[in-house]
Amino acid sequence: MDLLIKNGTIVTAIETYQADIAVSGGKIAAIGTDFNEQDFHDIVDARGKLVLPGAIDGHTHLALPFGGTISSDDYYAGTRSAACGGTTTVFDFVQQNPGERMLDAVKRRDALAAPDAAVDYSFHIGVGDVSTDELLDSMEEAVEYGIPSFKVYMVYDFGVDDGSFYKVLQRAKKIGALVGVHAENKDVNNLLVQQYLAEGKTSAWWHYMSKNELVEGEADVRAVNLAKMAEAPLYIVHLADKMGMDAVTEARRQGYPIFAETCPQYLHFTNEVYKRDRGRDFVCSPPMKNQESQNAIWDGIANGNITTIATDHCPFKQAEKDWGITKKDGTPGDFTTIPNGCAGVENMYPYVLAQAGAGRLTFNKAVQLCASNPAKLFGLSHRKGAVRVGLDADLVLYDPEKEFTITNEAMHGDTDHTIWEGVKLKGYPIATYSRGRLVFKDGEFLGRRGAGELIKCKKLSFHGPEL
Ligand code: DUC
Ligand code: ZN
Ligand code: ZN
């Protein structure tokens, strides 16, 4: 056999126990206590360490064209960074072009990802055009291929109207797909932008104000209502506000299959960051909200109404963030000319686990939110998301005592700054295995470009808020 990880404390979504893990052919071959060490090529002593399933980041934007540039982590840099933060699978978004069949969009994007990805990956399809029956029908072909999740944007020029959103929900329900939604009220957002700019309000604060609690909350409530009307499952991505949290909580209480994702940045930062000198570095959509919203999301984690944590990883270089002051062409910029997004893929698991270490949630709950729930929701629990015999040996060794201060220098992506600079964590991953291969150890990336593979996902296998 290839590898024995011995003496560690295994943490799953539901239990914590001491056992050894035998790895063979990239899979977890056995879990037990009396293995013969001579049977193993490599032996790792994990005494005093936690052994966790690798995290699944259900929301990244690698090499995303946005705002006149492209996000600075390509599939290699983004997955390298993921590995070094204990994330062994990332989901990226493929944006369907007008007139393009869904599966063609996936294949177009996979041609970029496959040669570069250092850990395993899969896709959600951003719906761009369902104006014909043929394009709507093409959803099923993607589902059968192994990409059963779609995302609609209620905001942005490439977003869809409520009718198309509803149509996608209806079809998704029929074919066993999950619809994710980026919920912000597009018309009000656009109107507020025009009003603020006309009043000379150009700083990053006004990005937040134009996408404030109510701008997101109204769209969250509308999305929940559309899903209820269509009797379809719904996944609200990057939920960041109290009104949306309340709507999700109430819908789930009523038994609707409505799920919410939040991101570490909404759990850690509030809208106060937009008052900082470099507030523009924090510009992402949706923006960080007020303390009341942050409290509501933490409550959602405690009471089970947040189902997953993901990152919305979408870094841009500082010079591009500076387009909020002076645009590329040298003319004055404003909050609308700042590319939206921040780095986070390397910070998610360490941040959430450190919160567990600090007693804000349990380690089991952290594993549930970052690994096992995304695996179940997105249809990859046959491969990922747990420490179980037969699953991929995507494993993280975590030292609960290691002190770590996040700096951009210590990160492994391609960007030049991090909104997490200076944040101190107690506890940090010390090793990551991707299908049994060591890809990260003691601060160093040891993986290989192109070693990651596309994970084909199964159709929805849940019916209500059991997650
Ligand atoms: N939000 C971001 O911050 N970046 C990219 C896309 C998005 O919706
Ligand atoms: Zn989004
Ligand atoms: Zn996103």
Side-chain angles (χ1 to χ4, degrees):
M1 292 218 250
D2 301 326
L3 170 68
L4 179 68
I5 299 174
K6 64 174 193 181
N7 300 325
T9 301
I10 298 173
V11 181
T12 72
I14 41 172
E15 36 177 10
T16 304
Y17 61 102
Q18 206 101 28
D20 304 340
I21 300 174
V23 174
S24 179
K27 301 277 184 194
I28 298 174
I31 301 174
T33 48
D34 48 9
F35 294 105
N36 184 349
E37 296 196 4
Q38 279 157 2
D39 294 342
F40 293 87
H41 190 265
D42 279 327
I43 296 177
V44 172
D45 191 347
R47 190 176 298 279
K49 310 292 183 286
L50 305 185
V51 185
L52 314 162
I56 297 169
D57 187 341
H59 192 150
T60 67
H61 299 279
L62 303 177
L64 174 75
F66 192 101
T69 182
I70 188 156
S71 61
S72 56
D73 280 351
D74 61 11
Y75 286 95
Y76 181 47
T79 52
R80 190 175 69 212
S81 192
C84 299
T87 289
T88 46
T89 309
V90 302
F91 276 79
D92 189 53
F93 289 88
V94 171
Q95 185 62 27
Q96 176 210 13
N97 289 326
E100 189 178 32
R101 295 179 68 80
M102 302 291 178
L103 186 54
D104 291 343
V106 170
K107 290 185 174 167
R108 167 172 58 77
R109 207 63 192 167
D110 193 30
L112 284 182
D116 271 3
V119 297
D120 293 345
Y121 62 94
S122 195
F123 296 107
H124 309 295
I125 303 172
V127 175
D129 183 3
V130 283
S131 59
T132 65
D133 287 347
E134 197 199 335
L135 291 172
L136 188 66
D137 290 346
S138 80
M139 286 172 66
E140 190 161 12
E141 198 184 4
V143 173
E144 296 303 330
Y145 184 75
I147 308 295
S149 52
F150 297 84
K151 177 180 178 188
V152 299
Y153 292 84
M154 296 169 83
V155 71
Y156 298 130
D157 293 347
F158 54 85
V160 300
D161 60 20
D162 288 354
S164 299
F165 182 4
Y166 190 69
K167 198 155 75 168
V168 169
L169 284 165
Q170 284 180 319
R171 181 57 62 99
K173 186 191 174 184
K174 272 196 194 132
I175 61 177
L178 180 66
V179 180
V181 61
H182 175 139
E184 291 180 299
N185 184 312
K186 177 176 171 175
D187 291 341
V188 174
N189 174 215
N190 288 343
L191 183 76
L192 290 174
V193 165
Q194 292 319 316
Q195 289 177 348
Y196 293 143
L197 292 182
E199 292 164 15
K201 295 168 171 166
T202 59
S203 76
W205 175 256
W206 302 98
H207 169 74
Y208 154 67
M209 286 294 284
S210 70
K211 290 171 168 269
N212 63 41
E213 283 72 9
L214 299 178
V215 173
E216 181 183 338
E218 183 284 326
D220 288 326
V221 170
R222 187 157 31 104
V224 167
N225 284 333
L226 289 168
K228 285 183 179 178
M229 284 157 66
E231 297 178 356
L234 178 71
Y235 178 68
I236 301 187
V237 302
H238 48 46
L239 187 83
D241 75 292
K242 179 176 183 330
M243 192 194 286
M245 191 68 255
D246 289 348
V248 169
T249 302
E250 177 58 11
R252 288 171 62 84
R253 196 191 59 73
Q254 296 167 341
Y256 287 98
I258 308 279
F259 305 93
E261 161 197 289
T262 195
C263 311
Q265 57 270 33
Y266 305 122
L267 295 169
H268 189 73
F269 301 107
T270 67
N271 54 354
E272 290 295 312
V273 294
Y274 298 110
K275 296 179 179 164
R276 294 190 191 177
D277 278 354
R278 289 211 61 94
R280 57 188 174 279
D281 290 345
F282 293 80
V283 164
C284 58
S285 290
M288 288 30 140
K289 300 298 196 307
N290 60 23
Q291 189 63 57
E292 190 190 21
S293 280
Q294 187 178 87
N295 295 345
I297 291 167
W298 271 110
D299 288 347
I301 286 180
N303 59 34
N305 289 310
I306 290 285
T307 300
T308 67
I309 295 181
T311 64
D312 203 6
H313 180 82
C314 188
F316 293 96
K317 297 257 165 97
Q318 244 167 353
E320 295 164 334
K321 290 290 190 184
D322 290 346
W323 294 346
I325 305 293
T326 306
K327 286 194 273 189
K328 225 187 206 178
D329 65 6
T331 61
D334 58 62
F335 64 90
T336 66
T337 53
I338 305 168
N340 285 200
C342 305
V345 73
E346 195 166 340
N347 311 113
M348 174 179 80
Y349 218 17
Y351 178 76
V352 177
L353 291 165
Q355 298 309 303
R360 195 115 201 225
L361 68 169
T362 64
F363 280 105
N364 307 97
K365 181 85 183 186
V367 166
Q368 203 180 96
L369 290 163
C370 299
S372 61
N373 279 357
K376 288 180 191 162
L377 203 55
F378 303 137
L380 64 163
S381 53
H382 59 299
R383 295 278 305 268
K384 313 273 185 194
V387 180
R388 205 170 59 232
V389 172
L391 296 199
D392 289 354
D394 288 358
L395 297 166
V396 172
L397 305 194
Y398 180 82
D399 180 351
E401 299 303 323
K402 186 180 164 106
E403 311 264 355
F404 188 87
T405 302
I406 303 175
T407 61
N408 188 61
E409 214 186 333
M411 297 294 100
H412 297 79
D414 270 352
T415 197
D416 58 0
H417 71 288
T418 171
I419 59 170
W420 295 93
E421 187 78 30
V423 172
K424 292 186 189 331
L425 304 177
K426 174 140 188 255
Y428 209 76
I430 52 166
T432 306
Y433 295 85
S434 166
R435 278 182 279 112
R437 287 173 291 107
L438 187 62
V439 291
F440 167 77
K441 187 165 188 282
D442 296 334
E444 208 184 328
F445 174 68
L446 300 172
R448 188 170 53 78
R449 188 194 280 267
E453 63 179 47
L454 173 66
I455 302 297
K456 304 252 180 115
C457 301
K458 295 195 190 279
K459 295 183 198 182
L460 287 199
S461 58
F462 55 87
H463 305 284
E466 66 259 27
L467 283 182

